Amino acid sequence: MTVTVAVTGATGRMGEEVLAAAADRDDVAVAFAVSRSPGAEVAGVAVEDAADLSALLAEHDPDVLVDFTGPASCVEYAAACADAGVAFVSGTTGLNQGCFDALREAAGEVPVLYASNFSRGIAALRRAVREAVPALDGYDIELTETHHNAKRDAPSGTALTLLDDIDEVRGDSPRVHGREGEAPRSEGEVGVHARRAGDIAGEHEVLLAGNHESLSLTHRAGSRGVFAAGALDAATWLSGRDAGWYDFTEVLE
Ligand code: NAD
């Protein structure tokens, strides 16, 4: 069965990856793509004006919309999908609680799947972290993420997800973002470090260190294609489901 998808942020890094990945798959067809800078053609798809999204949803009636844009547009597009009865997949990061509340509201009308990271390797890293942290009780934890120099939000959405995973198995831990000057480590804190350089697609390291030993759990994305593939897997999985809130781990399971 072919699932029809609409793609937002089509001229952005991830939008372009999603369109390129869709062009290589038989189970996905692109209904239309939008950007706030329309006019270009990406992977053979003419990019239309994001301001016309509601009209385009009504005209093409895609099965799923795939969104990698910014927090404000993510919320706006989720509401448009809820109105149009179109399933919504988003990997946009930097969302605050109000944004998540708005996505959950949309999930009352249509299926919504949100993931701060669409890679299978990160899903495996999350499982490894949830196992390692309780096994290494009392060890110091430092989380470092590295991304390309145009990334807007820090720490990354994936880092926040990993921090939530750590809290889930160890209880809430104070988060210390970077250190400067007289800044000794206090017991139980989690150090969080965001590096921005070059065109790095995404790296996350969770370091657990005790006396005389340390364990480093690291994931590196070699290309954004891995996130695009995961998002399209999520879109095909989500198509035709009931309204509600879904998680990428459900797709993998
Ligand atoms: P980008 O800056 O290259 O592209 C963003 C696109 O969204 C651009 O086309 C921009 O015009 C559009 N956009 C931004 N704000 C908008 C608005 N208010 N209205 C309309 N269009 C808007 O960024 P990117 O690298 O493609 O990343 C996009 C998002 O996806 C970021 O939040 C990033 O962190 C996230 N991301 C998530 C994953 C994942 O697996 N979940 C992977 C990579 C990136």
Side-chain angles (χ1 to χ4, degrees):
M1 201 186 83
T2 303
V3 170
T4 55
V5 297
V7 178
T8 58
T11 53
R13 292 176 192 79
M14 278 307 301
E16 288 187 359
E17 285 289 345
V18 170
L19 288 168
D24 283 345
R25 293 173 68 135
D26 295 333
D27 58 345
V28 172
V30 177
F32 67 88
V34 296
S35 165
R36 61 181 171 182
S37 336
E41 190 171 290
V42 177
V45 178
V47 178
E48 304 192 57
D49 193 342
D52 299 331
L53 181 68
S54 292
L56 289 163
L57 287 172
E59 184 188 339
H60 296 276
D61 192 24
D63 296 314
V64 187
L65 183 144
V66 178
D67 168 75
F68 287 91
T69 55
S73 40
C74 171
V75 166
E76 183 190 328
Y77 299 160
C81 283
D83 285 347
V86 173
F88 185 70
V89 168
S90 179
T92 298
T93 62
L95 307 187
N96 60 23
Q97 193 52 50
C99 296
F100 280 115
D101 290 347
L103 292 196
R104 291 216 177 245
E105 200 177 314
E109 305 297 325
V110 292
V112 172
L113 191 150
Y114 176 81
S116 61
N117 195 298
F118 278 105
S119 98
R120 286 164 190 271
I122 285 288
L125 173 66
R126 292 184 60 194
R127 285 198 297 276
V129 166
R130 286 197 294 257
E131 194 170 319
V133 169
L136 301 177
D137 191 30
Y139 281 38
D140 296 331
I141 304 177
E142 296 279 311
L143 191 156
T144 303
E145 55 97 341
T146 309
H147 284 86
H148 57 90
N149 56 23
K151 183 164 178 62
R152 300 176 76 90
D153 52 314
S156 68
T158 305
L160 293 173
T161 300
L162 289 164
L163 289 166
D164 287 345
D165 288 336
I166 292 165
D167 282 355
E168 199 180 301
V169 291
R170 201 176 79 158
D172 286 357
S173 311
R175 299 170 183 179
V176 176
H177 296 267
R179 294 190 183 84
E180 194 180 19
E182 179 75 10
R185 191 172 219 292
S186 60
E187 200 184 325
E189 75 183 32
V190 178
V192 186
H193 311 277
R195 305 192 298 176
R196 298 289 175 264
D199 66 350
I200 294 167
E203 296 179 5
H204 293 85
E205 182 206 33
V206 177
L207 173 69
L208 297 111
N211 289 335
H212 313 301
E213 68 169 352
S214 65
L215 171 67
S216 167
L217 299 169
T218 302
H219 175 266
R220 290 189 185 89
S223 108
R224 290 180 186 87
V226 73
F227 308 126
L232 290 175
D233 289 346
T236 56
W237 181 89
L238 193 65
S239 174
R241 290 190 186 263
D242 292 338
W245 183 261
Y246 297 92
D247 192 270
F248 187 51
T249 52
E250 296 173 80
V251 179
L252 299 178
E253 281 157 15

